[in-house]
């Protein structure tokens, strides 16, 4: 099962994720959102990514849920039952229900998106875009986003370690944080500009974007069945939400 998931085309995984998120968001049913989240966690467990998926999802959703509770649960002006009160601030049942509904919708998007990021190999995705009719600039832009951001994180960590050895930016509090940010930002921006210049020279020397036929070192396995699944998923991601929302709009 794990091998079959790894053999899926990156576009197939993305199309299925789009279908799942669109239908769950349009339906707006708590049980459907919970079922989608449980399904994503189960798929992550089969792929051996359950622990990482749960940790990343929790790190994103916990502050999101707290902010939604503060906005809708505490600041709500509805006349529903009061769960708890702290002076002029009160936690209402209606506000909590709205916050939980919005949190579940957001959780579906977050968990499904993170699952795609964990299942899809970055090299395969870039190669799939390169093999598709999409402009070659799209593949290069995606590759730059996926691969340069971790490199920038490593650079800023190395810059911070070098400055710590020189005992620069060791202040505490907000002033110390701003000083460290300024000391790291300048060399990081300068190194990024230099990298961009070097890459542009190398790309120009290789005739990017390439014109005419050219050989590719990486191939992405695909099949007629997966292509059919992608088209059906994209079509359903549009038609099913419309079928759900139009009767609701007519009833209102």
């Amino acid at each position: 099962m794990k091998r079959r998931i790894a053999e899926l085309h990156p576009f197939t995984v993305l199309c299925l994720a789009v279908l799942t998120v669109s239908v769950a968001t349009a339906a707006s049913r708590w049980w459907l959102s919970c079922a989608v989240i449980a399904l994503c966690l189960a798929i992550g467990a089969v792929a051996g990514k359950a622990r990482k998926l749960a940790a990343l999802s929790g790190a994103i959703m916990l502050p999101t849920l707290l902010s939604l509770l503060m906005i809708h649960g505490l600041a709500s002006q509805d006349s529903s039952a009061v769960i708890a009160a702290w002076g002029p601030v009160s936690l209402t049942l209606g506000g909590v229900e709205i916050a939980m509904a919005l949190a579940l919708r957001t959780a579906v998007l977050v968990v499904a998106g993170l699952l795609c990021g964990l299942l899809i190999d970055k090299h395969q995705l870039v190669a799939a875009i390169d093999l598709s009719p999409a402009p070659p600039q799209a593949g290069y832009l995606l590759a730059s986003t996926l691969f340069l951001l971790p490199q920038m994180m490593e650079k800023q960590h190395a810059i911070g370690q070098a400055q710590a050895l020189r005992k620069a930016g060791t202040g505490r509090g907000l002033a110390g944080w701003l000083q460290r940010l300024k000391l790291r930002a300048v060399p990081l921006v300068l190194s990024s500009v230099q990298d961009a210049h070097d890459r542009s020279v190398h790309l120009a020397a290789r005739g990017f974007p390439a014109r005419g036929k050219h050989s590719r070192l990486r191939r992405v396995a695909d099949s007629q069945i997966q292509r059919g699944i992608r088209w059906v998923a994209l079509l359903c991601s549009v038609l099913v939400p419309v079928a759900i929302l139009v009767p609701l709009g007519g009833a209102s």
Side-chain angles (χ1 to χ4, degrees):
M1 186 66 179
K2 182 178 179 180
R3 182 179 178 182
R4 291 182 179 180
I5 294 176
E7 291 176 351
L8 288 175
H9 193 279
F11 292 169
T12 303
V13 178
L14 292 175
C15 290
L16 292 176
V18 169
L19 172 62
T20 303
V21 172
S22 62
V23 172
T25 303
S28 186
R29 297 290 186 269
W30 68 267
W31 55 267
L32 181 58
S33 298
C34 292
V36 170
I37 295 172
L39 178 62
C40 291
L41 292 174
I43 296 174
V46 172
K49 308 287 186 179
R51 182 177 298 180
K52 192 171 184 179
L53 177 61
L56 292 174
S57 301
I60 295 175
M61 286 308 304
L62 182 58
T64 303
L65 177 60
L66 292 177
S67 63
L68 289 173
L69 285 174
M70 291 178 63
I71 295 172
H72 299 281
L74 296 178
S76 178
Q77 299 297 323
D78 60 4
S79 57
S80 61
V82 177
I83 300 176
W86 302 273
V89 180
S90 60
L91 184 65
T92 61
L93 179 61
V96 171
E97 290 177 350
I98 295 175
M100 293 302 297
L102 293 175
L104 280 175
R105 293 186 194 178
T106 308
V108 170
L109 177 62
V110 170
V111 176
L114 289 174
L115 181 62
C116 289
L118 294 175
L119 293 181
I120 297 175
D121 183 77
K122 295 181 288 186
H123 300 279
Q124 292 289 91
L125 179 58
V126 173
I129 295 177
D130 188 42
L131 292 168
S132 70
Q137 290 86 346
Y140 177 72
L141 180 62
L142 179 64
S144 300
T145 304
L146 293 175
F147 297 109
L148 291 183
L149 287 179
Q151 294 178 9
M152 291 182 66
M153 293 295 294
E154 293 178 0
K155 285 183 180 179
Q156 71 89 18
H157 182 66
I159 292 170
Q161 288 182 328
Q163 291 174 349
L165 290 175
R166 295 194 297 268
K167 296 183 179 180
T170 57
R172 297 182 178 180
L174 180 60
W177 179 81
L178 291 175
Q179 184 185 17
R180 287 191 296 272
L181 180 63
K182 181 179 65 175
L183 291 175
R184 295 187 186 187
V186 174
L188 184 61
V189 170
L190 291 178
S191 63
S192 300
V193 171
Q194 183 63 40
D195 286 345
H197 177 267
D198 295 340
R199 289 176 182 271
S200 65
V201 173
H202 296 159
L203 289 172
R206 289 166 173 78
F208 182 84
R211 294 175 175 83
K213 295 182 178 180
H214 56 283
S215 60
R216 295 178 173 90
L217 298 178
R218 180 183 290 268
R219 291 285 177 178
V220 182
D222 199 4
S223 63
Q224 190 68 32
I225 296 177
Q226 289 198 59
R227 286 191 286 269
I229 291 174
R230 291 199 292 269
W231 281 109
V232 172
L234 290 177
L235 187 62
C236 291
S237 66
V238 176
L239 295 180
V240 174
V242 170
I244 294 173
L245 295 175
V246 168
L248 294 177
S252 61

